[in-house]
Structures are given as structure tokens and as C-alpha cells.
């Protein structure tokens, strides 16, 4: 592993604590000034979360305040921002330690840019900036989605959508494994930029179309429907609200991989999608996280 570079600026960790409905907007607010944003369980109820980011001290204060004000207005949640000084070299070292090579399932290997570029012939390597993975809190969801992708790949889906693409890891895995173009959509501008950058880093830029958009209302999402395979690694309640639109845009026989769900939330999400005519094929558990694979019937 390469030695960590020295960070010239002082760093600070900023965080807010909110209930799950407010997570997407406050995560987006912190992402306006933080290159790394993580989501962590804040208590044992599994519906209160701490959103945490790292940034240079003094950077983007006006932009951050505007973004937080908007998040508070839109959610009705008056969340306080907390700050903590962060040791620059220590943070970077912990970032690297937190992101060793990860072998997932039978086919995938996830490697940070801080590791050497040697690739395994037996696995498909996906390279990500270490900062993308640090403190994400969703490794179990990602692993579940990649395992599910391996198991449904034999269906050779032609039209593929990654809804809420984040770093683009699932879209890239599908493009590499299936050799098909993938539409990757996110509501956060930062995520769209990162996904496009990661696709170029992995040599599959032409296969990924990265778009900023609001879920199923995104013009290109509607234009490219119906889909044979959809990833939606988001959060439980947004998934429930999107179930009807998802079912309407899924091709007959199409598959959806749902994730971002705590084990305790899986039944709620499953019920919402069953009401739209989707059938459960399989569920995967990775620690506290559940991934659901559902399919639309033919005809």
C-alpha cells in the first residue's frame, strides 16, 4: 500500500442526526462540501441516523449553510450541525485501512485507488477512490446487490437501470459482467460526477450514462423504460413510495434488486412491492442488511 500523502489543510468532521425520512436531503446537504459522507445508525431503534462528512476547515461555509437550510425547510427537521476537529494524516490512514481489497461473491473484487493495480484473472476488478467507501455504512447492501447480480446474470438483461447510483459501483459491475450499457441516475450532483469519473477510471465510460434526476420522474429514465433489470439501493421508505412507479417501468419478466434495507425493514418493503404484483425470488443477508430480488411476471 502506498504511503498516505500529507494533507495541507486542517480537517473537521461535521454531522447531523435525523430520522430515516430526512436522510437523503441531509446527506445531499453535507455532500455539497464533503467528498466523503457516511451514514451510521445513531440508536437501537434503527430509524435514527447520524450523517457524517469530512471537509477542510472553513471550506464552503456559505454553501453548506444554504444546503442545510433547504434540507431543514423541505423535511421540517431542525437538525443541529456538530463539528469535531479531525487529524488529517490520521483520517487518511484510517480511510485506507477501512478499504482493503474486498472480494464479493464468486466474480467481483473491489479495490481502492491506493492499492496497486494488479488484477485477479479469476475476478472482475472494480476500482474506486478509497474516500468513496470510507464510513459509507452500507457495505452489506452493496455486497448483497453484487451477489444478487451474479445470480440473475444468466437472464442476460438488455435494458439496465441503477436508480440512486451513488459511486456507480453497481452500474459498473453490471456493465462489466453483462457487457451492456447501463443508465445510472442519482438525485445528488456529486454522486453523478463521481459515478461518471469512476466509470472512466475503470475503462467502461462508454457503457455508463450518468444522469442527474429525481427518481422515476427523470426524463431519460422514462424514455428508456421498460427495464429488464433495476438496481435500487436506497432506503426503505423511499423504496416503498417508489414501488408503483418501479412496477410500471419494469418489463414483463424483469428483475429488480432492492437494497439499503435493515433486516427489520425488509418485510415492509417486500409488502409494498407485492401489492404492485412483483414476486419475491430470493433474499440475501449481509450482517444487518437485507437485499431483495423480485420479478415481474410475464404477460
Amino acid at each position: 500500500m502506498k504511503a498516505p500523502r500529507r494533507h495541507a489543510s486542517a480537517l473537521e468532521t461535521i454531522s447531523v442526526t435525523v430520522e430515516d425520512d430526512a436522510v437523503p436531503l441531509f446527506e445531499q446537504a453535507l455532500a455539497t462540501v464533503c467528498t466523503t459522507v457516511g451514514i451510521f445508525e445513531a440508536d437501537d431503534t434503527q430509524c435514527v441516523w447520524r450523517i457524517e462528512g469530512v471537509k477542510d476547515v472553513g471550506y464552503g461555509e456559505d454553501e453548506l449553510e444554504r444546503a442545510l437550510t433547504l434540507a431543514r425547510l423541505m423535511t421540517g427537521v431542525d437538525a443541529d450541525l456538530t463539528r469535531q476537529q479531525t487529524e488529517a494524516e490520521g483520517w487518511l490512514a484510517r480511510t485506507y485501512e477501512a478499504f482493503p481489497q474486498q472480494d464479493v461473491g464468486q466474480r467481483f473484487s473491489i479495490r481502492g485507488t491506493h492499492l496497486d493495480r494488479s488484477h485477479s484473472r479469476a475476478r472482475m476488478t472494480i476500482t474506486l477512490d478509497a474516500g468513496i467507501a470510507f464510513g459509507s455504512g452500507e457495505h452489506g447492501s452493496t455486497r448483497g446487490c453484487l451477489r444478487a447480480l451474479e445470480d440473475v446474470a444468466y437472464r442476460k438483461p438488455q435494458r439496465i437501470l441503477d436508480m440512486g447510483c451513488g459511486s456507480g459501483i453497481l452500474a459498473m459491475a453490471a456493465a462489466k459482467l453483462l457487457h451492456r450499457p447501463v443508465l445510472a441516475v442519482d438525485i445528488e450532483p456529486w454522486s453523478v460526477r463521481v459515478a461518471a469519473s469512476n466509470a472512466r477510471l475503470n475503462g467502461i465510460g462508454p457503457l455508463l450514462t450518468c444522469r442527474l434526476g429525481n427518481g422515476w420522474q427523470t426524463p431519460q429514465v422514462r424514455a428508456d423504460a421498460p427495464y429488464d433489470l433495476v438496481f435500487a439501493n436506497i432506503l426503505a421508505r423511499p423504496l416503498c413510495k417508489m414501488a408503483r412507479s418501479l412496477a410500471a417501468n419494469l418489463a414483463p419478466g424483469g428483475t429488480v434488486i432492492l437494497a439499503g434495507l435493515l433486516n427489520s425493514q425488509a418485510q415492509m418493503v417486500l409488502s409494498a412491492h407485492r401489492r404492485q404484483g412483483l414476486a419475491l425470488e430470493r433474499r440475501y443477508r449481509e450482517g444487518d442488511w437485507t437485499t431483495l430480488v423480485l420479478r415481474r411476471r410475464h404477460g
Side-chain angles (χ1 to χ4, degrees):
M1 182 170 66
K2 297 177 183 178
R5 292 174 295 175
R6 299 182 67 88
H7 196 286
S9 304
L11 296 179
E12 64 177 348
T13 298
I14 59 175
S15 63
V16 293
T17 301
V18 297
E19 293 188 354
D20 53 4
D21 280 348
V23 166
L25 287 173
F26 279 95
E27 180 188 13
Q28 182 178 352
L30 266 61
T32 59
V33 294
C34 300
T35 56
T36 295
V37 178
I39 306 173
F40 307 87
E41 291 178 43
D43 63 15
D44 294 332
T45 66
Q46 298 184 330
C47 64
V48 178
W49 301 83
R50 186 179 82 259
I51 307 169
E52 181 179 291
V54 177
K55 73 177 194 66
D56 292 326
V57 173
Y59 170 73
E61 290 298 321
D62 291 341
E63 185 179 2
L64 174 62
E65 186 55 38
R66 286 194 297 270
L68 287 171
T69 298
L70 181 60
R72 290 166 182 146
L73 288 172
M74 294 183 67
T75 62
V77 176
D78 190 19
D80 292 329
L81 182 72
T82 63
R83 300 174 185 264
Q84 183 177 357
Q85 186 176 354
T86 301
E87 202 172 315
E89 291 185 22
W91 170 76
L92 189 57
R94 290 196 305 275
T95 299
Y96 289 164
E97 288 178 8
F99 195 20
Q101 177 173 316
Q102 303 172 59
D103 291 338
V104 183
Q106 300 298 314
R107 306 195 192 190
F108 295 108
S109 181
I110 315 302
R111 296 174 61 82
T113 53
H114 59 291
L115 300 174
D116 65 71
R117 295 302 180 92
S118 60
H119 291 180
S120 168
R121 293 183 179 180
R123 290 179 176 269
M124 294 183 180
T125 300
I126 299 173
T127 302
L128 296 174
D129 191 302
I132 298 300
F134 175 70
S136 70
E138 296 185 340
H139 294 303
S141 291
T142 303
R143 294 177 71 89
C145 287
L146 292 174
R147 290 172 56 199
L149 172 60
E150 287 185 356
D151 289 343
V152 304
Y154 72 93
R155 292 175 182 153
K156 298 182 179 179
Q158 299 298 297
R159 290 163 293 184
I160 305 168
L161 170 67
D162 184 2
M163 179 67 77
C165 63
S167 67
I169 184 172
L170 301 179
M172 290 189 293
K176 283 199 169 199
L177 181 61
L178 301 168
H179 307 289
R180 293 295 304 168
V182 181
L183 175 59
V185 177
D186 205 288
I187 198 170
E188 300 177 6
W190 178 81
S191 292
V192 176
R193 292 194 298 270
V194 167
S197 175
N198 283 334
R200 292 191 295 269
L201 176 65
N202 284 270
I204 52 172
L207 285 178
L208 257 66
T209 299
C210 301
R211 290 288 182 267
L212 179 68
N214 184 15
W216 294 102
Q217 301 304 312
T218 306
Q220 186 157 354
V221 170
R222 297 167 71 91
D224 290 359
Y227 297 94
D228 303 305
L229 175 62
V230 174
F231 296 98
N233 183 7
I234 311 177
L235 289 171
R237 294 191 183 183
L239 285 175
C240 290
K241 293 177 181 178
M242 296 166 67
R244 184 174 182 179
S245 296
L246 167 61
N249 288 279
L250 197 61
T255 303
V256 58
I257 299 173
L258 303 177
L261 321 174
L262 293 165
N263 296 333
S264 60
Q265 299 169 326
Q267 191 58 45
M268 172 182 71
V269 174
L270 177 57
S271 296
H273 289 79
R274 277 177 166 162
R275 287 194 292 270
Q276 302 303 323
L278 303 184
L280 176 68
E281 281 201 333
R282 187 167 179 181
R283 68 177 77 202
Y284 302 79
R285 283 196 175 190
E286 288 276 350
D288 294 331
W289 302 94
T290 291
T291 298
L292 300 174
V293 179
L294 299 99
R295 197 174 189 192
R296 182 178 174 183
R297 298 181 180 88
H298 288 277

